[in-house]
Amino acid sequence: MSIHTTETAHAPVREEDVPGTSEREGSPGSLPEAGGTGTLTRRRMLATAGATLTGGALLLSGSAARAQSEFPAARGPREGSAAGTGPRQARQDGLRPGMPHRDYQPVVVPNGSKLPWKVVDGVKVFHLVAEEVEHEFAPGLKAFCWGYNGRVHGPTIEAVEGDRVRIYVTNRLPAPTTVHWHGILLPNGMDGVGGLNQKSIAPGETFSYEFTLRQSGTNMYHSHHDEMTQIGLGLTGMFVIHPRRPVGPRVDRDFVILLHEWRIDVGTRRPNPNEMTDFNVLTMNAKAFPGTEPLVVRQGERVRIRLGNLSPQNHHPIHLHGFHFRITETDGGRVPESAQQPEATVIVPVGSARAIEFVADAPGDWALHCHMTHHVMNQMGHAFPNMIGVKPDGLDAKVRALLPGYMTMGQTGMAEMGGMGMPIPPNSIPMVGRQGKHDDITMGGMFTVLKVRERLDGYKDPGWYDNPPGTLAEAASTEGLRRDGIDVDAPAPVEPGSPA
């Protein structure tokens, strides 16, 4: 029995150690025939085609052929259907279990983890445990959530197209639950909607889900019982399925980020799942900046970032500074190259996943964040007056006679709140930021940093970027202003937008 752990570096796995990996059972590049039990060889393909073509001609357009190639799940009847194979096809697909570094480049989950698995008779076996978890969203803010395997969000499940998976789910919550495999094509009875597809998993029970992965792409999993409560408390995770036959350039870094939003009132210790509109903690992999880990990349590497969104309410336009990328995957799988276009922002709708790819050819510390401005704030609300432009004059000194330490805030915006060092209520965090290399970073929430370096010492935070001379914006010199004829005291220059 082979055991796989979640460590970044994996011990080599010998084929003879993995049941069902002999050459006669299929090579890494083979896929099962629809409804069959063997590998799809060229000879068998030609024989099948010949029988089909008898008595008539079959015309398959180029676009249809590409669709079959790029969306392997459409190749044949699904397991469990009348025309398909039964659930006992588990070890007859002719595909050996996909192995890290041999069949795929393992993903990196900043601030997160991956679910361990083992191979039993050719089936990958996983174990999810739903339980209450005390989770730290950022230094100073903890809350009791519901998660999987001691994590919020649950560990990322990673497998390969064609793998047979068996996932045990143990319920240690005080309420029934289920798991829905979001976006994954599988038999109806494995879909995980409580009451519709299965009995709910009662507290203390363990259920088994088993199916063959007949697609590749970026997917998710979450509770589908009392969804508002259970998703709102954190019962979510990512499910990455690598292609058996990779398409497109090989990536060097493959990141996974799950987007989510929460309502945690200042001083409380439990997310409020009843909130419908006003979320005040916005997270990437269940962390709000400054609690988010950077994404570390060597200059010149090809990078994929997989983004899933299981927020209760909001879509998230995720913007990457410094690069143009291509959207290479949606929930349905790989986007044909002809349909990819350069972007700097990708909208990730609620309940959806997207993957972007680019070459990290520019060194530096580059922001990656949601472009909804309230989504890069922490524990912010709107139930306070607009103080912009208010001139308190001597008000602060007068109020301090009654409230020592009082300070009027917000009259110039929120930026000063990050560095004021004022006391904050217990179990809460400042609305914005942390100290950066040059100044306060006046952002929070759904914000992190892509750190691209010419050289790396393993995968660890390389610290702040040292900008080469002449490449850093700084205060203008008197000489420069004089040279370029800039008078900072003159009226601001403007040119009419249309001829006079």
Side-chain angles (χ1 to χ4, degrees):
M1 181 183 299
S2 297
I3 304 295
H4 172 79
T5 67
T6 58
E7 298 298 324
T8 301
H10 302 278
V13 179
R14 299 177 302 170
E15 281 191 17
E16 57 267 32
D17 291 338
V18 182
T21 59
S22 64
E23 284 301 315
R24 67 177 180 272
E25 291 183 44
S27 65
S30 64
L31 281 172
E33 294 184 70
T37 58
T39 57
L40 183 58
T41 64
R42 187 170 183 268
R43 179 178 298 175
R44 294 176 69 176
M45 183 189 296
L46 292 174
T48 303
T52 305
L53 291 171
T54 302
L58 176 65
L59 179 62
L60 182 65
S61 71
S63 61
R66 285 193 298 274
Q68 286 190 357
S69 172
E70 291 161 359
F71 303 104
R75 287 182 182 139
R78 197 179 309 180
E79 171 192 348
S81 66
T85 59
R88 297 190 62 81
Q89 188 186 358
R91 295 177 298 278
Q92 304 299 321
D93 283 337
L95 291 173
R96 54 188 178 181
M99 290 292 154
H101 302 292
R102 184 191 73 186
D103 298 307
Y104 63 91
Q105 176 72 18
V107 297
V108 178
V109 189
N111 291 114
S113 64
K114 291 187 278 186
L115 188 62
W117 50 268
K118 57 187 175 182
V119 176
V120 179
D121 295 332
V123 179
K124 284 186 177 176
V125 178
F126 301 81
H127 185 198
L128 276 176
V129 179
E131 57 190 347
E132 185 173 72
V133 178
E134 185 181 32
H135 174 69
E136 183 179 71
F137 289 90
L141 177 60
K142 293 183 179 181
F144 290 103
C145 304
W146 288 3
Y148 296 103
N149 298 53
R151 308 285 307 194
V152 176
H153 304 286
T156 295
I157 298 174
E158 191 171 24
V160 177
E161 176 188 17
D163 282 348
R164 183 75 175 183
V165 299
R166 183 180 303 130
I167 307 172
Y168 291 96
V169 178
T170 297
N171 183 8
R172 295 179 184 166
L173 297 169
T177 192
T178 66
V179 178
H180 167 59
W181 316 101
H182 187 108
I184 296 179
L185 304 175
L186 36 60
N188 180 258
M190 297 291 174
D191 196 45
V193 179
L196 176 67
N197 307 123
Q198 67 169 86
K199 288 176 63 67
S200 296
I201 309 170
E205 288 188 329
T206 297
F207 272 39
S208 174
Y209 297 84
E210 184 168 342
F211 43 89
T212 298
L213 301 175
R214 302 197 175 281
Q215 67 193 95
S216 62
T218 304
N219 303 280
M220 299 175 283
Y221 65 91
H222 59 81
S223 167
H224 221 302
H225 175 87
D226 190 10
E227 294 86 353
M228 182 186 74
T229 300
Q230 298 197 2
I231 293 177
L233 288 175
L235 285 174
T236 59
M238 296 290 283
F239 198 136
V240 174
I241 308 173
H242 296 278
R244 184 68 58 160
R245 299 192 195 102
V247 177
R250 178 184 181 276
V251 298
D252 302 290
R253 289 276 196 249
D254 195 344
F255 295 101
V256 175
I257 296 176
L258 181 55
L259 310 173
H260 203 72
E261 56 197 8
W262 320 73
R263 177 70 194 193
I264 307 176
D265 292 319
V266 171
T268 65
R269 295 184 61 83
R270 179 83 64 180
N272 181 2
N274 299 320
E275 180 59 54
M276 296 179 66
T277 59
D278 193 10
F279 300 95
N280 63 356
V281 176
L282 289 295
T283 59
M284 293 177 155
N285 286 343
K287 293 287 187 177
F289 186 77
T292 53
E293 291 179 356
L295 283 60
V296 179
V297 172
R298 181 180 289 109
Q299 183 180 357
E301 288 186 325
R302 186 172 187 86
V303 178
R304 178 188 294 125
I305 302 177
R306 304 173 187 263
L307 299 159
N309 181 9
L310 285 176
S311 299
Q313 184 71 22
N314 288 299
H315 310 316
H316 298 296
I318 301 300
H319 176 55
L320 174 62
H321 293 213
F323 302 95
H324 289 165
F325 53 75
R326 290 179 178 268
I327 302 172
T328 56
E329 287 183 14
T330 67
D331 311 74
R334 186 82 181 179
V335 177
E337 187 175 355
S338 60
Q340 300 173 13
Q341 60 188 30
E343 301 278 4
T345 302
V346 55
I347 295 179
V348 189
V350 172
S352 298
R354 298 290 184 267
I356 63 173
E357 294 182 23
F358 60 97
V359 175
D361 55 1
D365 292 336
W366 302 103
L368 176 70
H369 63 94
C370 181
H371 219 285
M372 289 191 175
T373 54
H374 288 170
H375 292 184
V376 287
M377 303 287 285
N378 291 321
Q379 291 191 298
M380 182 178 179
H382 52 251
F384 56 86
N386 180 9
M387 298 293 292
I388 301 295
V390 171
K391 296 178 173 57
D393 295 328
L395 175 65
D396 287 9
K398 295 176 182 178
V399 174
R400 284 190 193 119
L402 299 173
L403 297 173
Y406 172 83
M407 182 183 298
T408 303
M409 295 185 296
Q411 62 268 32
T412 61
M414 301 294 175
E416 73 269 19
M417 295 188 179
M420 292 177 69
M422 294 183 63
I424 58 176
N427 201 46
S428 65
I429 50 179
M431 290 185 185
V432 292
R434 59 164 289 188
Q435 177 66 41
K437 178 180 180 181
H438 305 286
D439 210 339
D440 283 339
I441 299 174
T442 56
M443 303 184 85
M446 206 172 274
F447 175 93
T448 189
V449 180
L450 172 72
K451 296 194 172 186
V452 182
R453 298 292 187 272
E454 183 179 355
R455 297 179 182 85
L456 291 176
D457 180 17
Y459 187 88
K460 61 182 181 181
D461 189 341
W464 299 114
Y465 180 62
D466 291 325
N467 305 88
T471 67
L472 177 65
E474 53 190 357
S477 67
T478 302
E479 289 181 6
L481 293 170
R482 185 182 301 116
R483 178 194 63 217
D484 295 327
I486 302 298
D487 183 356
V488 298
D489 297 318
V494 66
E495 184 175 317
S498 58

